[in-house]
Amino acid sequence: MLPPSEGKAAPERGRRFDPGALSHPELAGPREQVLQTLIRASAGADATTRLRFGTSLAEQVEANTRLRDARAAPATQVYSGVLYDAAGLANLSGTARRRSNSSVRIVSALWGVLRPDDAIPAYRLSMSTPLQPLAPLGTFWSRHLGGALDPGGSDVVLDCRSQDYARAWSPAPDREWLAVRVVAIRAGRPVVVSHHAKHTRGVLTGHLFRRPEPLPRTAAGVAEAAAELIGPVLADVGMHPPVRSGPATLELVLSH
C-alpha cells in the first residue's frame, strides 16, 4: 500500500484520460462524485483559499477544471515524489513489473485506489484537502474501499502510507498488517526521521520487486527481505508487535 505523491508530472503526450479504463471499476461512482466536486471547487476565484492551497499552486488548482480532457500516463510516471523516485517503479520491466502491477495499490484522494499502470492525469488534491461536502476524504473513501481491497487474499499488507491516507482503509482483522517506520539512532535512541522516511520506503519497495526471490507473503518474510538492505542503506531491521487493532511495525534503522 503506497500513498500518492504531492508532486505530479503532467503528461505531455498520451491519450486523453478515460476514467472508465481505471482498475477497480466498482469505484466508478465515488470517483465521479469526487471528480465533479473537485472540478466545481477548483473553478472559483477563491479556490486556492477554500481548498487551503498556497497561491503558488493556483495554476495547478485551475488545471483541475480540465481533468476530463487532460492527457494521462501510468500512475508511476505521474507520481514524481521522493518515494516514487527511490522505488523506480516506472522503470521496472519483466517479472518485476508484473509483480508491481499485481501487488501495489496506491490510495488516492481523487481515485480511491489505483494500480501502478492505471493511466491518470496530474491533479492537485490530497486526503487532507477540505473538499466540501465530502471532507474528510479519508472517511469518505473508507466507506467504499473495503469492497475493492478486502478480497485481495491473505498475503501480508505492507503499508507505506501516511496517516491521512491510512484512514481510508484498514485490512481485515485476521490479516497480517505491517506498517513501515524509518528511524535514525541519536544519542543511543531511535528517532523518527521524516526527511528520509519516504526515500527509504521507496528503496524497500523497489527492492522487493527487483530481488530474484518470490515476493514475501508474511510479515517475517518482509523483514527478512528488508534485512538484505543492511549495509549501505540500513543499519538494522526490527519488528514490533501491533498496538490494539493497529498494524505491527517494521522498523528500518538508517545507516547514517
Side-chain angles (χ1 to χ4, degrees):
M1 301 300 298
L2 297 181
S5 65
E6 291 295 327
K8 301 174 183 70
E12 298 180 357
R13 302 177 182 177
R15 299 178 181 178
R16 176 180 168 181
F17 172 56
D18 177 8
L22 295 177
S23 62
H24 300 289
E26 66 273 23
L27 296 176
R31 283 168 172 162
E32 177 62 22
Q33 191 175 356
V34 178
L35 180 59
Q36 283 185 358
T37 306
L38 177 62
I39 290 173
R40 185 164 53 248
S42 299
D46 61 343
T48 55
T49 300
R50 286 190 294 112
L51 296 176
R52 296 181 189 173
F53 291 124
T55 55
S56 62
L57 299 176
E59 185 176 337
Q60 295 180 35
V61 172
E62 192 275 333
N64 283 340
T65 65
R66 302 187 299 276
L67 285 174
R68 295 190 191 278
D69 298 312
R71 296 184 184 276
T76 51
Q77 295 179 21
V78 173
Y79 294 136
S80 56
V82 172
L83 187 154
Y84 286 86
D85 284 346
L89 299 185
N91 301 318
L92 297 179
S93 61
T95 298
R97 185 180 183 88
R98 289 191 293 272
R99 287 176 171 178
S100 172
N101 286 331
S102 66
S103 302
V104 170
R105 292 297 179 268
I106 303 165
V107 175
S108 163
L110 180 51
W111 314 117
V113 67
L114 299 167
R115 287 167 43 122
D117 56 355
D118 278 329
I120 60 171
Y123 62 93
R124 175 55 64 169
L125 182 68
S126 70
M127 209 61 94
S128 61
T129 301
L131 187 65
Q132 301 299 342
L134 303 182
L137 285 169
T139 301
F140 171 84
W141 281 115
S142 70
R143 298 194 291 267
H144 302 285
L145 293 190
L149 293 172
D150 286 342
S154 59
D155 289 358
V156 61
V157 174
L158 180 60
D159 200 340
C160 294
R161 296 173 296 169
S162 59
Q163 187 174 26
D164 284 339
Y165 288 88
R167 292 190 182 101
W169 177 76
S170 299
D174 59 348
R175 191 167 183 183
E176 279 196 294
W177 182 16
L178 190 58
V180 180
R181 179 172 68 173
V182 181
V183 302
I185 302 301
R186 301 283 188 266
R189 305 179 68 178
V191 177
V192 174
V193 282
S194 57
H195 178 70
H196 296 289
K198 291 180 180 180
H199 177 269
T200 307
R201 291 186 182 112
V203 169
L204 174 62
T205 299
H207 173 68
L208 291 174
F209 297 122
R210 291 184 176 88
R211 61 199 292 269
E213 294 81 2
L215 283 175
R217 304 183 67 175
T218 65
V222 172
E224 290 177 4
E228 296 167 0
L229 296 171
I230 292 176
V233 178
L234 301 178
D236 197 7
V237 171
M239 286 272 288
H240 302 281
V243 177
R244 297 179 183 175
S245 60
T249 301
L250 176 68
E251 186 172 84
L252 306 180
V253 183
L254 294 176
S255 293
H256 303 290

